[in-house]
Amino acid sequence: MLKVNGAHLYYEMAGEGNPLVLLHAGIADCRMWDDQFDPLARHFRVIRYDARGFGQSEPTADAYYPYEDLRAVMDALEVESAYLVGCSMGGKTILDFALAYPERTAALVPVASGLGGYSFRAWSEEQVAAIEAAEQEGDYERISEIEMQIWFDGPYRSARSVNRTARQKAYAMNLKALRNTAIAGPAVQSLEPPAATRLSEIRVPTCVVVGELDVPGILEVADKLTQEIAGARKIVISDAAHLPNMEKPAEFNQHVLEFLKSLEEK
């Protein structure tokens, strides 16, 4: 555990070499990287941690900036700069971090990334109504199931057509986060001005990864990042939605390793 910015955050670290930090999605925790942690640790000093209220990190009610927690984690572990890989919520965090601390950002891999200042609707009216009803009843199991339909299955598949083991793992991680948030929902703050208006300021090597079957808004973000970050490349993982690293781990790992190794060969 690390105590950073008034919160206790669970982390894991393995390997040697250039530092690489993995930041999880908002429907998961650091276990979403189980299929990446050891393979990447053969090449890098890999760090993963649970954000506030996720996994084994305690929820807090205090307002906070996720990118400042990332900075504090790096400070505590004596990491001057790092390769940053972030999925969804984690992608939004690493983009904010790259703008706030460009000198500490060696490279970016935004995966199915969120983006500060860019809004879209991933939920249907029926799903919104179902989530609101479940919230009133305190039925977090139902909320997690609906969120799996939105994010893990995506808009083009049913639960029957996806990897059941990976889906159940994501469901369990999300359920824990939902329950933690009910205890103390943190007031998450974003970088200002928002990243959506400042992508041209990012000057580090960037590889955008997105699942072919993700919600349209996430695909739009992936295109925006690719177009507005100088030199950015885009990788599309076929037959995968919002957590492509869990659905297609071997393919995901290959792309990330090829990208990062290409930087070290220069």
Side-chain angles (χ1 to χ4, degrees):
M1 302 294 290
L2 292 173
K3 185 173 183 180
V4 298
N5 296 336
H8 290 89
L9 304 184
Y10 173 81
Y11 80 100
E12 297 178 358
M13 183 167 59
E16 299 178 354
N18 288 329
L20 186 161
V21 187
L22 300 167
L23 286 83
H24 62 78
I27 57 166
D29 55 47
C30 75
R31 291 172 292 172
M32 71 169 283
W33 303 113
D34 283 350
D35 290 326
Q36 285 72 52
F37 191 65
D38 288 338
L40 293 175
R42 299 187 190 113
H43 306 272
F44 309 103
R45 178 189 172 196
V46 180
I47 299 159
R48 60 176 174 175
Y49 68 93
D50 290 332
R52 301 183 190 212
F54 293 83
Q56 298 185 61
S57 292
E58 63 180 10
T60 65
D62 299 329
Y64 78 105
Y65 292 85
Y67 70 91
E68 291 291 0
D69 277 2
L70 170 57
R71 177 199 55 78
V73 167
M74 291 172 60
D75 287 348
L77 298 177
E78 299 181 342
V79 173
E80 184 57 36
S81 68
Y83 301 137
L84 302 176
V85 180
C87 183
S88 190
M89 176 184 78
K92 176 180 180 293
T93 299
I94 66 172
L95 292 167
D96 284 356
F97 183 89
L99 289 164
Y101 299 104
E103 73 284 356
R104 304 191 66 175
T105 308
L108 294 173
V109 183
V111 182
S113 186
L115 177 61
Y118 188 91
S119 61
F120 60 89
R121 184 167 183 165
W123 305 267
S124 68
E125 292 182 3
E126 292 79 9
Q127 288 167 329
V128 170
I131 288 175
E132 289 176 349
E135 286 176 340
Q136 291 177 358
E137 298 172 3
D139 188 351
Y140 302 115
E141 291 83 357
R142 177 63 178 152
I143 298 172
S144 192
E145 171 56 30
I146 296 169
E147 292 187 350
M148 288 305 102
Q149 294 169 10
I150 296 166
W151 296 111
F152 196 93
D153 305 340
Y156 312 107
R157 302 182 297 182
S158 70
R160 294 187 298 273
S161 61
V162 302
N163 183 302
R164 181 178 298 180
T165 301
R167 189 185 195 275
Q168 181 59 35
K169 182 174 183 176
Y171 169 90
M173 289 188 288
N174 190 47
L175 180 59
K176 183 173 180 59
L178 289 168
R179 287 172 170 161
N180 282 348
T181 301
I183 297 171
V188 181
Q189 306 296 307
S190 296
L191 182 71
E192 291 294 342
T197 65
R198 302 172 57 190
L199 293 176
S200 62
E201 296 176 30
I202 296 177
R203 302 291 185 181
V204 299
T206 301
C207 181
V208 178
V209 181
V210 69
E212 174 191 26
L213 304 178
D214 210 333
V215 300
I218 292 295
L219 300 179
E220 292 169 8
V221 169
D223 287 341
K224 183 176 176 66
L225 298 179
T226 307
Q227 293 162 7
E228 297 186 24
I229 298 176
R233 66 178 76 175
K234 184 174 76 170
I235 301 293
V236 179
I237 307 260
S238 62
D239 195 27
H242 199 55
L243 302 179
N245 66 299
M246 292 183 66
E247 293 200 70
K248 297 289 187 70
E251 182 178 350
F252 179 88
N253 294 354
Q254 179 181 350
H255 286 306
V256 172
L257 279 170
E258 286 178 354
F259 170 63
L260 295 179
K261 284 297 184 181
S262 72
L263 303 180
E264 298 195 331
E265 291 169 0
K266 291 181 179 179

